[in-house]
Amino acid sequence: EVQLVESGGGLVQAGGSLRLSCAASGIAFEDYAIGWFRQAPGKEREGVLWIDNYERDTFYSDSVKGRFTASSDNAKNTVYLQMNSLKPEDTAVYYCAAGLAVGSYYSGFEENEYDYWGQGTQVTVSS
């Protein structure tokens, strides 16, 4: 059974930091690209960043570039999302997702590129 489990969400003040984790099981982790998405109340889910399954390069959306970074620990089958300089507009449920063919035909920020999804973790940034 494939599982992606996010953790690390919580409440933080604007300007603060949080680190989310996405632990994967049931897949050959190194073969999969990992994406982070978020969905704010009343809004569609949007791609935040994704890590490819070749060189583990990371691609960022403009909304988080320079503030968020991602890293991957293949030994632990875990991807981390370090979020700095958080803003109230970063408030959302954050999801990680895994896919085999991410970025091959689309940008890497499309939901339909991903095969597996986690349950999400809430991040709330207070002003």
Side-chain angles (χ1 to χ4, degrees):
E1 178 187 7
V2 177
Q3 279 193 319
L4 299 176
V5 180
E6 303 95 336
S7 60
L11 174 65
V12 64
Q13 288 188 331
S17 299
L18 277 177
R19 189 177 80 155
L20 306 184
S21 300
C22 171
S25 60
I27 58 173
F29 181 75
E30 63 276 10
D31 292 340
Y32 281 76
I34 303 295
W36 282 98
F37 289 75
R38 66 185 181 186
Q39 187 166 22
K43 295 189 177 181
E44 293 186 355
R45 190 152 53 183
E46 65 168 345
V48 174
L49 58 83
W50 64 282
I51 303 174
D52 75 25
N53 50 342
Y54 298 103
E55 299 292 331
R56 284 311 195 196
D57 290 330
T58 307
F59 303 88
Y60 297 91
S61 69
D62 289 341
S63 61
V64 305
K65 196 174 297 181
R67 300 188 298 122
F68 291 11
T69 57
S71 59
S72 178
D73 187 338
N74 285 355
K76 295 183 177 180
N77 285 7
T78 299
V79 167
Y80 302 98
L81 174 60
Q82 179 66 43
M83 305 185 295
N84 299 326
S85 302
L86 282 162
K87 305 174 182 180
E89 52 264 42
D90 294 318
T91 294
V93 178
Y94 283 71
Y95 301 88
C96 66
L100 281 173
V102 176
S104 297
Y105 302 102
Y106 299 98
S107 67
F109 292 101
E110 302 294 327
E111 293 182 51
N112 60 9
E113 298 181 79
Y114 293 85
D115 306 304
Y116 303 105
W117 290 81
Q119 82 289 348
T121 186
Q122 176 70 47
V123 171
T124 303
V125 184
S126 63
S127 57

